[in-house]
PDB file of all heavy atoms in Angstrom:
ATOM      1  N   LYS S1599     104.253 104.700 157.541  1.00 94.00           N
ATOM      2  CA  LYS S1599     105.622 104.951 157.071  1.00 94.00           C
ATOM      3  C   LYS S1599     105.776 104.403 155.650  1.00 94.00           C
ATOM      4  O   LYS S1599     106.488 103.417 155.418  1.00 94.00           O
ATOM      5  CB  LYS S1599     106.646 104.296 158.006  1.00 94.00           C
ATOM      6  CG  LYS S1599     106.640 104.817 159.441  1.00 94.00           C
ATOM      7  CD  LYS S1599     107.690 104.112 160.280  1.00 94.00           C
ATOM      8  CE  LYS S1599     107.612 104.520 161.742  1.00 94.00           C
ATOM      9  NZ  LYS S1599     108.001 105.902 161.984  1.00 94.00           N
ATOM     10  N   PRO S1600     105.136 105.037 154.682  1.00 96.00           N
ATOM     11  CA  PRO S1600     105.134 104.479 153.319  1.00 96.00           C
ATOM     12  C   PRO S1600     106.515 104.386 152.679  1.00 96.00           C
ATOM     13  O   PRO S1600     106.834 103.409 152.013  1.00 96.00           O
ATOM     14  CB  PRO S1600     104.233 105.450 152.544  1.00 96.00           C
ATOM     15  CG  PRO S1600     104.233 106.715 153.329  1.00 96.00           C
ATOM     16  CD  PRO S1600     104.359 106.294 154.753  1.00 96.00           C
ATOM     17  N   PHE S1601     107.352 105.406 152.899  1.00 97.00           N
ATOM     18  CA  PHE S1601     108.671 105.395 152.262  1.00 97.00           C
ATOM     19  C   PHE S1601     109.556 104.292 152.844  1.00 97.00           C
ATOM     20  O   PHE S1601     110.345 103.680 152.117  1.00 97.00           O
ATOM     21  CB  PHE S1601     109.349 106.759 152.412  1.00 97.00           C
ATOM     22  CG  PHE S1601     108.586 107.879 151.766  1.00 97.00           C
ATOM     23  CD1 PHE S1601     107.961 108.858 152.525  1.00 97.00           C
ATOM     24  CD2 PHE S1601     108.478 107.942 150.377  1.00 97.00           C
ATOM     25  CE1 PHE S1601     107.255 109.881 151.929  1.00 97.00           C
ATOM     26  CE2 PHE S1601     107.766 108.976 149.760  1.00 97.00           C
ATOM     27  CZ  PHE S1601     107.154 109.945 150.547  1.00 97.00           C
ATOM     28  N   LEU S1602     109.417 104.042 154.138  1.00 97.00           N
ATOM     29  CA  LEU S1602     110.173 102.946 154.751  1.00 97.00           C
ATOM     30  C   LEU S1602     109.741 101.606 154.165  1.00 97.00           C
ATOM     31  O   LEU S1602     110.585 100.752 153.848  1.00 97.00           O
ATOM     32  CB  LEU S1602     109.976 102.934 156.272  1.00 97.00           C
ATOM     33  CG  LEU S1602     110.660 101.781 157.003  1.00 97.00           C
ATOM     34  CD1 LEU S1602     112.175 101.907 156.914  1.00 97.00           C
ATOM     35  CD2 LEU S1602     110.209 101.713 158.464  1.00 97.00           C
ATOM     36  N   LEU S1603     108.448 101.415 154.001  1.00 97.00           N
ATOM     37  CA  LEU S1603     107.952 100.162 153.439  1.00 97.00           C
ATOM     38  C   LEU S1603     108.440  99.968 152.003  1.00 97.00           C
ATOM     39  O   LEU S1603     108.793  98.855 151.604  1.00 97.00           O
ATOM     40  CB  LEU S1603     106.414 100.135 153.474  1.00 97.00           C
ATOM     41  CG  LEU S1603     105.769 100.120 154.862  1.00 97.00           C
ATOM     42  CD1 LEU S1603     104.260 100.020 154.737  1.00 97.00           C
ATOM     43  CD2 LEU S1603     106.293  98.966 155.704  1.00 97.00           C
ATOM     44  N   ILE S1604     108.460 101.047 151.233  1.00 98.00           N
ATOM     45  CA  ILE S1604     108.972 100.968 149.853  1.00 98.00           C
ATOM     46  C   ILE S1604     110.455 100.602 149.878  1.00 98.00           C
ATOM     47  O   ILE S1604     110.913  99.748 149.111  1.00 98.00           O
ATOM     48  CB  ILE S1604     108.769 102.300 149.110  1.00 98.00           C
ATOM     49  CG1 ILE S1604     107.269 102.599 148.955  1.00 98.00           C
ATOM     50  CG2 ILE S1604     109.431 102.265 147.737  1.00 98.00           C
ATOM     51  CD1 ILE S1604     106.974 104.028 148.533  1.00 98.00           C
ATOM     52  N   LEU S1605     111.205 101.251 150.770  1.00 98.00           N
ATOM     53  CA  LEU S1605     112.643 100.985 150.884  1.00 98.00           C
ATOM     54  C   LEU S1605     112.914  99.521 151.238  1.00 98.00           C
ATOM     55  O   LEU S1605     113.793  98.887 150.638  1.00 98.00           O
ATOM     56  CB  LEU S1605     113.257 101.896 151.943  1.00 98.00           C
ATOM     57  CG  LEU S1605     114.775 101.841 152.077  1.00 98.00           C
ATOM     58  CD1 LEU S1605     115.431 102.481 150.861  1.00 98.00           C
ATOM     59  CD2 LEU S1605     115.231 102.544 153.365  1.00 98.00           C
ATOM     60  N   LEU S1606     112.160  98.986 152.188  1.00 97.00           N
ATOM     61  CA  LEU S1606     112.357  97.597 152.610  1.00 97.00           C
ATOM     62  C   LEU S1606     111.896  96.612 151.539  1.00 97.00           C
ATOM     63  O   LEU S1606     112.300  95.444 151.551  1.00 97.00           O
ATOM     64  CB  LEU S1606     111.621  97.329 153.927  1.00 97.00           C
ATOM     65  CG  LEU S1606     112.034  98.189 155.125  1.00 97.00           C
ATOM     66  CD1 LEU S1606     111.347  97.695 156.399  1.00 97.00           C
ATOM     67  CD2 LEU S1606     113.547  98.203 155.317  1.00 97.00           C
ATOM     68  N   SER S1607     111.076  97.082 150.620  1.00 97.00           N
ATOM     69  CA  SER S1607     110.622  96.231 149.517  1.00 97.00           C
ATOM     70  C   SER S1607     111.669  96.123 148.414  1.00 97.00           C
ATOM     71  O   SER S1607     111.638  95.185 147.611  1.00 97.00           O
ATOM     72  CB  SER S1607     109.327  96.792 148.912  1.00 97.00           C
ATOM     73  OG  SER S1607     108.283  96.825 149.850  1.00 97.00           O
ATOM     74  N   LEU S1608     112.588  97.079 148.371  1.00 97.00           N
ATOM     75  CA  LEU S1608     113.534  97.161 147.252  1.00 97.00           C
ATOM     76  C   LEU S1608     114.473  95.962 147.111  1.00 97.00           C
ATOM     77  O   LEU S1608     114.572  95.385 146.019  1.00 97.00           O
ATOM     78  CB  LEU S1608     114.360  98.442 147.360  1.00 97.00           C
ATOM     79  CG  LEU S1608     113.890  99.617 146.514  1.00 97.00           C
ATOM     80  CD1 LEU S1608     114.635 100.883 146.889  1.00 97.00           C
ATOM     81  CD2 LEU S1608     114.082  99.324 145.024  1.00 97.00           C
ATOM     82  N   PRO S1609     115.188  95.552 148.165  1.00 95.00           N
ATOM     83  CA  PRO S1609     116.223  94.534 147.975  1.00 95.00           C
ATOM     84  C   PRO S1609     115.728  93.238 147.347  1.00 95.00           C
ATOM     85  O   PRO S1609     116.433  92.650 146.529  1.00 95.00           O
ATOM     86  CB  PRO S1609     116.740  94.292 149.403  1.00 95.00           C
ATOM     87  CG  PRO S1609     116.468  95.573 150.107  1.00 95.00           C
ATOM     88  CD  PRO S1609     115.165  96.053 149.540  1.00 95.00           C
ATOM     89  N   TYR S1610     114.539  92.790 147.706  1.00 93.00           N
ATOM     90  CA  TYR S1610     114.102  91.508 147.158  1.00 93.00           C
ATOM     91  C   TYR S1610     112.770  91.588 146.410  1.00 93.00           C
ATOM     92  O   TYR S1610     112.660  91.145 145.270  1.00 93.00           O
ATOM     93  CB  TYR S1610     114.010  90.446 148.259  1.00 93.00           C
ATOM     94  CG  TYR S1610     114.038  89.056 147.669  1.00 93.00           C
ATOM     95  CD1 TYR S1610     115.226  88.525 147.169  1.00 93.00           C
ATOM     96  CD2 TYR S1610     112.886  88.297 147.560  1.00 93.00           C
ATOM     97  CE1 TYR S1610     115.259  87.269 146.573  1.00 93.00           C
ATOM     98  CE2 TYR S1610     112.909  87.039 146.973  1.00 93.00           C
ATOM     99  CZ  TYR S1610     114.097  86.527 146.485  1.00 93.00           C
ATOM    100  OH  TYR S1610     114.122  85.299 145.890  1.00 93.00           O
ATOM    101  N   LEU S1611     111.758  92.169 147.030  1.00 95.00           N
ATOM    102  CA  LEU S1611     110.431  92.184 146.412  1.00 95.00           C
ATOM    103  C   LEU S1611     110.439  92.917 145.077  1.00 95.00           C
ATOM    104  O   LEU S1611     109.816  92.471 144.108  1.00 95.00           O
ATOM    105  CB  LEU S1611     109.406  92.821 147.365  1.00 95.00           C
ATOM    106  CG  LEU S1611     107.939  92.759 146.925  1.00 95.00           C
ATOM    107  CD1 LEU S1611     107.482  91.328 146.702  1.00 95.00           C
ATOM    108  CD2 LEU S1611     107.045  93.449 147.945  1.00 95.00           C
ATOM    109  N   ILE S1612     111.140  94.039 145.010  1.00 97.00           N
ATOM    110  CA  ILE S1612     111.189  94.815 143.768  1.00 97.00           C
ATOM    111  C   ILE S1612     112.304  94.335 142.847  1.00 97.00           C
ATOM    112  O   ILE S1612     112.069  93.952 141.700  1.00 97.00           O
ATOM    113  CB  ILE S1612     111.348  96.321 144.071  1.00 97.00           C
ATOM    114  CG1 ILE S1612     110.104  96.859 144.780  1.00 97.00           C
ATOM    115  CG2 ILE S1612     111.594  97.113 142.781  1.00 97.00           C
ATOM    116  CD1 ILE S1612     110.210  98.301 145.241  1.00 97.00           C
ATOM    117  N   ASN S1613     113.544  94.347 143.360  1.00 96.00           N
ATOM    118  CA  ASN S1613     114.690  94.036 142.498  1.00 96.00           C
ATOM    119  C   ASN S1613     114.693  92.600 141.982  1.00 96.00           C
ATOM    120  O   ASN S1613     115.088  92.356 140.840  1.00 96.00           O
ATOM    121  CB  ASN S1613     116.002  94.304 143.244  1.00 96.00           C
ATOM    122  CG  ASN S1613     116.273  95.781 143.443  1.00 96.00           C
ATOM    123  OD1 ASN S1613     115.686  96.626 142.761  1.00 96.00           O
ATOM    124  ND2 ASN S1613     117.138  96.103 144.373  1.00 96.00           N
ATOM    125  N   VAL S1614     114.296  91.657 142.820  1.00 93.00           N
ATOM    126  CA  VAL S1614     114.370  90.250 142.423  1.00 93.00           C
ATOM    127  C   VAL S1614     113.028  89.730 141.923  1.00 93.00           C
ATOM    128  O   VAL S1614     112.923  89.218 140.809  1.00 93.00           O
ATOM    129  CB  VAL S1614     114.881  89.377 143.587  1.00 93.00           C
ATOM    130  CG1 VAL S1614     114.961  87.907 143.151  1.00 93.00           C
ATOM    131  CG2 VAL S1614     116.256  89.855 144.057  1.00 93.00           C
ATOM    132  N   VAL S1615     111.984  89.872 142.737  1.00 94.00           N
ATOM    133  CA  VAL S1615     110.691  89.289 142.370  1.00 94.00           C
ATOM    134  C   VAL S1615     110.052  90.032 141.196  1.00 94.00           C
ATOM    135  O   VAL S1615     109.702  89.425 140.179  1.00 94.00           O
ATOM    136  CB  VAL S1615     109.728  89.270 143.582  1.00 94.00           C
ATOM    137  CG1 VAL S1615     108.372  88.685 143.177  1.00 94.00           C
ATOM    138  CG2 VAL S1615     110.321  88.448 144.721  1.00 94.00           C
ATOM    139  N   ALA S1616     109.904  91.342 141.327  1.00 95.00           N
ATOM    140  CA  ALA S1616     109.239  92.111 140.255  1.00 95.00           C
ATOM    141  C   ALA S1616     110.030  92.100 138.957  1.00 95.00           C
ATOM    142  O   ALA S1616     109.452  92.176 137.872  1.00 95.00           O
ATOM    143  CB  ALA S1616     108.997  93.548 140.709  1.00 95.00           C
ATOM    144  N   MET S1617     111.356  92.003 139.061  1.00 95.00           N
ATOM    145  CA  MET S1617     112.189  91.983 137.859  1.00 95.00           C
ATOM    146  C   MET S1617     112.491  90.571 137.374  1.00 95.00           C
ATOM    147  O   MET S1617     113.148  90.403 136.342  1.00 95.00           O
ATOM    148  CB  MET S1617     113.509  92.722 138.103  1.00 95.00           C
ATOM    149  CG  MET S1617     113.365  94.207 138.267  1.00 95.00           C
ATOM    150  SD  MET S1617     114.995  95.003 138.245  1.00 95.00           S
ATOM    151  CE  MET S1617     114.544  96.703 138.587  1.00 95.00           C
ATOM    152  N   GLY S1618     112.065  89.577 138.124  1.00 91.00           N
ATOM    153  CA  GLY S1618     112.386  88.216 137.747  1.00 91.00           C
ATOM    154  C   GLY S1618     111.197  87.298 137.577  1.00 91.00           C
ATOM    155  O   GLY S1618     111.033  86.660 136.538  1.00 91.00           O
ATOM    156  N   TYR S1619     110.363  87.237 138.596  1.00 89.00           N
ATOM    157  CA  TYR S1619     109.240  86.290 138.589  1.00 89.00           C
ATOM    158  C   TYR S1619     107.955  87.033 138.207  1.00 89.00           C
ATOM    159  O   TYR S1619     107.157  87.397 139.074  1.00 89.00           O
ATOM    160  CB  TYR S1619     109.076  85.636 139.963  1.00 89.00           C
ATOM    161  CG  TYR S1619     110.357  85.209 140.631  1.00 89.00           C
ATOM    162  CD1 TYR S1619     110.533  85.376 141.998  1.00 89.00           C
ATOM    163  CD2 TYR S1619     111.399  84.630 139.894  1.00 89.00           C
ATOM    164  CE1 TYR S1619     111.710  84.970 142.627  1.00 89.00           C
ATOM    165  CE2 TYR S1619     112.570  84.236 140.522  1.00 89.00           C
ATOM    166  CZ  TYR S1619     112.724  84.404 141.890  1.00 89.00           C
ATOM    167  OH  TYR S1619     113.879  84.014 142.509  1.00 89.00           O
ATOM    168  N   HIS S1620     107.748  87.274 136.916  1.00 90.00           N
ATOM    169  CA  HIS S1620     106.651  88.130 136.469  1.00 90.00           C
ATOM    170  C   HIS S1620     105.297  87.700 137.001  1.00 90.00           C
ATOM    171  O   HIS S1620     104.519  88.504 137.518  1.00 90.00           O
ATOM    172  CB  HIS S1620     106.594  88.148 134.932  1.00 90.00           C
ATOM    173  CG  HIS S1620     107.840  88.663 134.300  1.00 90.00           C
ATOM    174  ND1 HIS S1620     108.205  88.364 133.006  1.00 90.00           N
ATOM    175  CD2 HIS S1620     108.820  89.463 134.792  1.00 90.00           C
ATOM    176  CE1 HIS S1620     109.358  88.947 132.727  1.00 90.00           C
ATOM    177  NE2 HIS S1620     109.744  89.617 133.789  1.00 90.00           N
ATOM    178  N   ARG S1621     104.993  86.418 136.848  1.00 92.00           N
ATOM    179  CA  ARG S1621     103.657  85.928 137.238  1.00 92.00           C
ATOM    180  C   ARG S1621     103.448  86.046 138.742  1.00 92.00           C
ATOM    181  O   ARG S1621     102.406  86.513 139.207  1.00 92.00           O
ATOM    182  CB  ARG S1621     103.474  84.477 136.794  1.00 92.00           C
ATOM    183  CG  ARG S1621     103.417  84.285 135.277  1.00 92.00           C
ATOM    184  CD  ARG S1621     103.448  82.809 134.931  1.00 92.00           C
ATOM    185  NE  ARG S1621     104.683  82.190 135.373  1.00 92.00           N
ATOM    186  CZ  ARG S1621     104.809  80.918 135.748  1.00 92.00           C
ATOM    187  NH1 ARG S1621     103.755  80.128 135.744  1.00 92.00           N
ATOM    188  NH2 ARG S1621     105.966  80.431 136.132  1.00 92.00           N
ATOM    189  N   GLN S1622     104.438  85.596 139.514  1.00 92.00           N
ATOM    190  CA  GLN S1622     104.268  85.650 140.960  1.00 92.00           C
ATOM    191  C   GLN S1622     104.292  87.082 141.474  1.00 92.00           C
ATOM    192  O   GLN S1622     103.643  87.402 142.473  1.00 92.00           O
ATOM    193  CB  GLN S1622     105.343  84.815 141.660  1.00 92.00           C
ATOM    194  CG  GLN S1622     105.001  84.528 143.117  1.00 92.00           C
ATOM    195  CD  GLN S1622     105.806  83.405 143.712  1.00 92.00           C
ATOM    196  OE1 GLN S1622     106.730  82.885 143.101  1.00 92.00           O
ATOM    197  NE2 GLN S1622     105.460  83.009 144.920  1.00 92.00           N
ATOM    198  N   ALA S1623     105.016  87.958 140.803  1.00 94.00           N
ATOM    199  CA  ALA S1623     105.023  89.370 141.194  1.00 94.00           C
ATOM    200  C   ALA S1623     103.625  89.966 141.091  1.00 94.00           C
ATOM    201  O   ALA S1623     103.178  90.708 141.978  1.00 94.00           O
ATOM    202  CB  ALA S1623     106.001  90.155 140.318  1.00 94.00           C
ATOM    203  N   ILE S1624     102.918  89.649 140.003  1.00 96.00           N
ATOM    204  CA  ILE S1624     101.549  90.159 139.843  1.00 96.00           C
ATOM    205  C   ILE S1624     100.622  89.526 140.880  1.00 96.00           C
ATOM    206  O   ILE S1624      99.754  90.200 141.450  1.00 96.00           O
ATOM    207  CB  ILE S1624     101.023  89.881 138.420  1.00 96.00           C
ATOM    208  CG1 ILE S1624     101.850  90.661 137.401  1.00 96.00           C
ATOM    209  CG2 ILE S1624      99.557  90.285 138.301  1.00 96.00           C
ATOM    210  CD1 ILE S1624     101.817  92.161 137.574  1.00 96.00           C
ATOM    211  N   ALA S1625     100.825  88.241 141.158  1.00 95.00           N
ATOM    212  CA  ALA S1625     100.012  87.574 142.184  1.00 95.00           C
ATOM    213  C   ALA S1625     100.216  88.242 143.538  1.00 95.00           C
ATOM    214  O   ALA S1625      99.256  88.497 144.278  1.00 95.00           O
ATOM    215  CB  ALA S1625     100.368  86.091 142.250  1.00 95.00           C
ATOM    216  N   ILE S1626     101.464  88.546 143.880  1.00 95.00           N
ATOM    217  CA  ILE S1626     101.761  89.226 145.153  1.00 95.00           C
ATOM    218  C   ILE S1626     101.155  90.623 145.164  1.00 95.00           C
ATOM    219  O   ILE S1626     100.656  91.093 146.198  1.00 95.00           O
ATOM    220  CB  ILE S1626     103.281  89.281 145.391  1.00 95.00           C
ATOM    221  CG1 ILE S1626     103.823  87.868 145.619  1.00 95.00           C
ATOM    222  CG2 ILE S1626     103.613  90.166 146.592  1.00 95.00           C
ATOM    223  CD1 ILE S1626     105.340  87.789 145.689  1.00 95.00           C
ATOM    224  N   SER S1627     101.173  91.296 144.011  1.00 96.00           N
ATOM    225  CA  SER S1627     100.603  92.640 143.951  1.00 96.00           C
ATOM    226  C   SER S1627      99.097  92.607 144.206  1.00 96.00           C
ATOM    227  O   SER S1627      98.547  93.505 144.855  1.00 96.00           O
ATOM    228  CB  SER S1627     100.908  93.297 142.601  1.00 96.00           C
ATOM    229  OG  SER S1627     100.142  92.757 141.551  1.00 96.00           O
ATOM    230  N   MET S1628      98.407  91.581 143.689  1.00 95.00           N
ATOM    231  CA  MET S1628      96.971  91.425 143.955  1.00 95.00           C
ATOM    232  C   MET S1628      96.732  91.228 145.450  1.00 95.00           C
ATOM    233  O   MET S1628      95.779  91.765 146.027  1.00 95.00           O
ATOM    234  CB  MET S1628      96.412  90.226 143.192  1.00 95.00           C
ATOM    235  CG  MET S1628      96.391  90.353 141.680  1.00 95.00           C
ATOM    236  SD  MET S1628      95.252  91.639 141.092  1.00 95.00           S
ATOM    237  CE  MET S1628      96.435  92.896 140.603  1.00 95.00           C
TER     238      MET S1628
END
Side-chain angles (χ1 to χ4, degrees):
K1599 298 180 185 292
F1601 299 111
L1602 177 67
L1603 295 183
I1604 296 166
L1605 186 71
L1606 300 187
S1607 298
L1608 262 170
Y1610 200 74
L1611 187 58
I1612 294 174
N1613 289 342
V1614 180
V1615 179
M1617 291 190 184
Y1619 317 141
H1620 300 157
R1621 293 171 298 150
Q1622 195 163 7
I1624 295 299
I1626 293 173
S1627 73
M1628 293 294 106

